[in-house]
Amino acid sequence: MSGVGLDPKTAPTFPMAAKAMLGDTQLRKNVRHATDVIQGKRARVVGEMPDWQELREAGRQIRQHTMKYLDFYLEEFEANCTRAGGVVHWARDAEEARGIVVGLVKASGSDEVIKIKSMTTEEIELNTALEAAGIHAFETDLAELIIQLGEDRPSHIVVPALHKNRQQIREIFQRKMNLPELGERPEDLADAARMFLREKFLRVKTAVSGANFLIAETGGVCVVESEGNGRMCLTLPETLITIAGIDKVLPRFQDLEVMLQLLPRSATGERMNPYNSIWTGVDAADGPRVFHVVLMDNARTEILADEEARQTLNCIRCGACQNACPVYRQTGGHAYGSVYAGPIGAILTPQLQEMQHAQSLPYASSLCGACYEVCPVKINIPEVLIHLRNRVVRQNTAGVAGFFDVEAGAMKAMAMIFRSERRFRAVQRLGRVAEGPLVHKDGQGEGWIRWLPGLLGGWTQVRDLREMPKETFRDWWERRGDNGN
Amino acid sequence: MATDTVTNSTRDEVLRRIRAATGGTSDGGVAKAGWEGIARDYRRKGTREREGVLALLEDRLRDYDARVVRVAGGRVAQSVAEMLAERGVRRMVVPVGLPVAWLPAAAGAGGVEFVVDEGLSSGDLDDFDGVMTGATLAIAETGTFVLQSVAGQGRRAATLVPDYHLCVVRAEDVVETVPESMAQLQRTAGLATTFVSGPSATADIEMTRIKGVHGPRFLDVILIV
């Protein structure tokens, strides 16, 4: 694991990475424990709400409505934020966004920034760009601090270090904070982080944040957090730079009444997270004197243009789909090769990356639908996954002969076989004979095929196949006869 | 000027892409009408009696490790003195505009020093044991109180840096649900607003909830009935 950001351009494909992760039993144990705990808490507080489905529906409609009129609401946000003393910038892609933020930090006269956890800055690998410009970024969220000091990579949208247990975190803090006597109780570790960061909060003059919501009606920004590190970043420095995807806008202040009910319960299983901050521009006596907002596209408009996939933009980054996903729970987040892991990562990342990279991610799902069921804004992730699988196939077959001709030919042959009982039975008999040399018996005497030759090898690379039964259902049915039981 | 030009062309390009994706420039009037058509069949108003709402708030606050006491209006100062003595705090910062009647008289306060925040630096704030404020409102269902940058509630830094927060909430400012709170806050939506639910907390280590990471670790609430 290196400190380099997660980048689908360089990451191994999901099946390869997942296979490696499955071998890490400690990681799987940590991930399972954390997701079990959050799911339990979520189910309890969602169960308290008699109107949960009505809230989800309102959430879906608000997000869908916003996307439809996105240009109007962004311009409204810009006008109101500017009127309140904020400065609004626009960025077409990650490179422009990084350039704007680096420029603003330099203009603030600081070579250090404090940062509150932000998926957007992870997405554009901002810290690397800041370091390259001679600016040191301090992550202040406890989990992000663990990741940064451990030169690790985040593995969950809400709880980025859930793959680490307390002993592993203690080892990182002992080493990086020079605390040989540090205990391993979670309280000890949190105290160490408090001591380590307090001095930075009081000293560093520039902060970078993400945003949970931008409010068009007022020009306000909302950040949802628990530790107070967010409030430190938003409140104490002289300059605050907030970077947000253009999808983060909400039409009206009142819409928060829906989002502030859906988000905390879905994300951390709390009725309300400890702190929500809403601020509008600057206030001479309270908070930073200079406030910038960077509105970033970075392929979001391409998602917007794809009507079947547009609902991807409705995501409010709660991570509930990750916790519910049987695939994520086995592999953890790193296997996705992206800062957005789990089901939402499987649909968001390929689109942010324009599909050339991360082609395996739409297949990193069993389509069981658990993600759709827990999504607070009802994003139909399975539907989008299938849509993206179609796009992957279309992209790969466009102007390419060869493999896909073979696959198409094989499908035709299958169709021919299925149409005739005689042919179907013949192929079953042939299959039982042909699989013979490939079958290996496991400890329980069950036969498994771990490798298939030729093109079929793609299937067995990441799956084990059971041997064919000795007797087919049809044979058994016939043997059973008219009076057999 | 060069920067302005670049920024403007970038802005125009992003808006052009959005309009190309959604089928044209949005009409503000149509957008507003569409917003009004959003189905809001969730609970907009609470259903509990007054006493039930207050009891719910107390329950939710305690669930989040806050201490809560109910007092009659005339007994706030005494209750504050007791709370501070129990917490063992010596120096409290208070915002401009906090009702003087809430502060214990110097003699009865067990020697606690109250300092009014008239632009204290972050470093100065770090030297205080605690902060005492009022609140705009409280939400029973979530155990939340809402602070705004107004007299009696102060600057955001003041309620953040010290390790202890004592908040005084009037029973008439308690609502049951989140939508009721947003309706009340609408008038002052432009103010810096902070929703506080329990003391600072994290669950980043093995999902174990730990009180107090960077914000106040201890939270007491006095409910004036």
Side-chain angles (χ1 to χ4, degrees), chain A residues 51 61 65 71 75 78 143 166 194 198 226-227 231 255 257 270-271 274 276 278 285-286 297, chain B residues 11 17 19 26 35 39-40 42-43 63-64 126 156 159 163 193 195 197 200 202 206 209 213-214:
Chain A
D51 56 344
Q61 290 193 23
H65 168 85
D71 60 325
E75 287 198 293
E78 181 189 41
R166 65 184 76 184
R194 182 185 175 97
R198 183 54 69 124
S226 293
E227 294 173 9
R231 293 180 65 199
D255 294 323
E257 76 189 17
E270 297 174 291
R271 298 183 185 104
N276 300 328
I278 303 168
D286 186 8
D297 177 353
Chain B
R11 174 186 190 279
R17 288 178 185 176
R19 285 166 185 149
S26 299
W35 183 85
R40 292 175 193 270
Y42 50 87
R43 287 175 306 150
D63 195 35
Y64 262 16
D126 200 30
R156 289 175 289 167
T159 53
D163 206 17
T193 302
F195 289 61
S197 311
S200 155
T202 185
E206 296 183 8
R209 188 179 163 88
V213 192
H214 304 299

Side-chain angles (χ1 to χ4, degrees), chain B:
Chain B
M1 284 318 284
T3 321
D4 285 346
T5 318
V6 171
T7 307
N8 283 333
S9 74
T10 305
R11 174 186 190 279
D12 294 345
E13 172 62 14
V14 174
L15 288 169
R16 187 197 64 72
R17 288 178 185 176
I18 293 170
R19 285 166 185 149
T22 55
T25 303
S26 299
D27 178 311
V30 175
K32 287 200 164 99
W35 183 85
E36 273 155 21
I38 291 171
R40 292 175 193 270
D41 300 328
Y42 50 87
R43 287 175 306 150
R44 311 284 289 278
K45 287 216 166 12
T47 51
R48 287 176 165 80
E49 299 290 318
R50 199 71 211 140
E51 173 52 35
V53 173
L54 298 183
L56 184 65
L57 175 68
E58 288 178 316
D59 177 69
R60 298 300 200 230
L61 282 166
R62 289 196 181 111
D63 195 35
Y64 262 16
D65 308 311
R67 278 190 12 175
V68 194
V69 294
R70 274 193 213 203
V71 301
R75 291 194 65 255
V76 175
Q78 191 187 336
S79 182
V80 168
E82 286 163 11
M83 282 275 198
L84 298 184
E86 255 177 78
R87 291 289 185 184
V89 300
R90 312 295 303 169
R91 292 189 77 225
M92 292 286 286
V93 60
V94 295
V96 173
L98 191 79
V100 180
W102 291 355
L103 295 177
V112 177
E113 180 191 3
F114 291 92
V115 177
V116 177
D117 171 26
E118 288 173 315
L120 294 164
S121 72
S122 308
D124 293 338
L125 289 170
D126 200 30
D127 289 334
F128 284 91
D129 299 323
V131 57
M132 177 178 160
T133 70
T136 296
L137 57 82
I139 310 164
E141 192 163 75
T142 57
T144 305
F145 58 82
V146 175
L147 303 173
Q148 294 187 301
S149 45
V150 295
Q153 296 170 44
R155 298 182 305 141
R156 289 175 289 167
T159 53
L160 171 65
V161 178
D163 206 17
Y164 167 68
H165 186 179
L166 173 57
C167 185
V168 182
V169 178
R170 293 185 177 92
E172 63 261 35
D173 296 328
V174 180
V175 298
E176 185 176 336
T177 65
V178 174
E180 287 167 298
S181 76
M182 296 307 294
Q184 278 201 31
L185 292 169
Q186 179 77 41
R187 285 179 297 114
T188 51
L191 292 174
T193 302
T194 310
F195 289 61
V196 179
S197 311
S200 155
T202 185
D204 278 341
I205 301 166
E206 296 183 8
M207 302 313 296
T208 309
R209 188 179 163 88
I210 308 162
K211 256 196 297 178
V213 192
H214 304 299
R217 281 187 283 193
F218 305 98
L219 177 66
D220 291 340
V221 175
I222 292 176
L223 189 57
I224 307 180
V225 289

Side-chain angles (χ1 to χ4, degrees), chain A residues 236 238 273 307 363 398:
Chain A
L236 301 187
E238 287 169 8
N273 47 288
E307 277 183 43
Y363 295 89

